[in-house]
Amino acid sequence: MEITELYKTLEKLRADGYTVNGYIGCEEDSHNPDGLVLVDFIEYIDAYYSDEKPIWLETFYQVFMWQYNSMYEGATTYYSNFYGLSDYQKIVETGDFLKNNGYMVIAEKFTAGIVLCEQEDDSDAEDLIQISSQIEQWLDQNTKPVWDFYYEILEKHKNELLESQQF
């Protein structure tokens, strides 16, 4: 799908008052095919930015993976870099970007999970399970701020993404 079509879909969902998340898509209508627009953006990013991504785009990517993994398989899947897409450095940089760009509500929960990265010591297993559970619960109950983040970051950098397709 062309990036212009993705933006039209994104804007339509927003105008219609829908909330979209990285796991089920359109929350108000999980059968709405437009609800997969975030997945389509991820596929676009994978196609056009396979290696180095600008920090804002890496942050979008990481927040999406965080939300999807946490809602589908659990937060430890994301923080353990199970799929090789969320190494410690990317997680720290994403947290910093969120904080430095005014997404404090998301940054607080996102960075809380850093302690789950590469844990080899089981001595704090109960604490780690609790942190993971708190992140998962927060994501489940706070999809709107994350949706707002997705929408805002994509709108702010729309011209950059439109230009990327011209190559």
Side-chain angles (χ1 to χ4, degrees):
M1 184 180 288
E2 289 189 26
I3 194 71
T4 53
E5 293 301 315
L6 293 179
Y7 271 102
K8 286 179 187 175
T9 301
L10 185 75
E11 291 163 7
K12 182 181 181 312
L13 289 165
R14 185 69 168 207
D16 291 344
Y18 290 118
T19 301
V20 179
N21 72 53
Y23 179 56
I24 64 167
C26 183
E27 293 183 3
E28 294 81 3
D29 179 5
S30 61
H31 299 291
N32 182 341
D34 288 344
L36 297 176
V37 70
L38 296 175
V39 173
D40 293 336
F41 270 102
I42 292 297
E43 289 175 1
Y44 179 86
I45 293 166
D46 285 341
Y48 287 92
Y49 293 91
S50 57
D51 293 327
E52 292 297 315
K53 299 173 190 74
I55 185 61
W56 70 267
L57 192 56
E58 186 66 53
T59 299
F60 170 83
Y61 195 87
Q62 292 301 317
V63 170
F64 177 88
M65 293 303 170
W66 173 60
Q67 186 181 45
Y68 178 83
N69 287 154
S70 295
M71 294 177 94
Y72 181 60
E73 299 172 310
T76 54
T77 301
Y78 174 78
Y79 290 103
S80 70
N81 195 21
F82 184 80
Y83 293 106
L85 301 169
S86 56
D87 63 47
Y88 180 80
Q89 182 176 343
K90 286 180 184 174
I91 291 171
V92 170
E93 289 171 358
T94 296
D96 289 346
F97 180 89
L98 291 167
K99 287 177 191 173
N100 294 336
N101 287 276
Y103 298 102
M104 295 305 293
V105 172
I106 298 169
E108 182 181 330
K109 280 301 173 190
F110 183 86
T111 58
I114 289 176
V115 298
L116 300 172
C117 294
E118 302 175 9
Q119 287 294 322
E120 296 176 17
D121 182 1
D122 288 339
S123 63
D124 295 330
E126 287 184 36
D127 290 339
L128 299 176
I129 290 169
Q130 184 178 16
I131 291 168
S132 180
S133 178
Q134 288 171 351
I135 291 168
E136 294 157 15
Q137 184 177 8
W138 185 89
L139 279 167
D140 189 50
Q141 296 173 353
N142 292 277
T143 54
K144 179 80 168 83
V146 179
W147 165 237
D148 290 343
F149 161 76
Y150 293 139
Y151 183 81
E152 289 169 17
I153 200 82
L154 289 170
E155 279 297 312
K156 183 175 182 180
H157 297 279
K158 184 176 185 175
N159 288 337
E160 189 175 336
L161 285 179
L162 291 172
E163 289 173 10
S164 70
Q165 194 169 25
Q166 295 176 5
F167 297 107

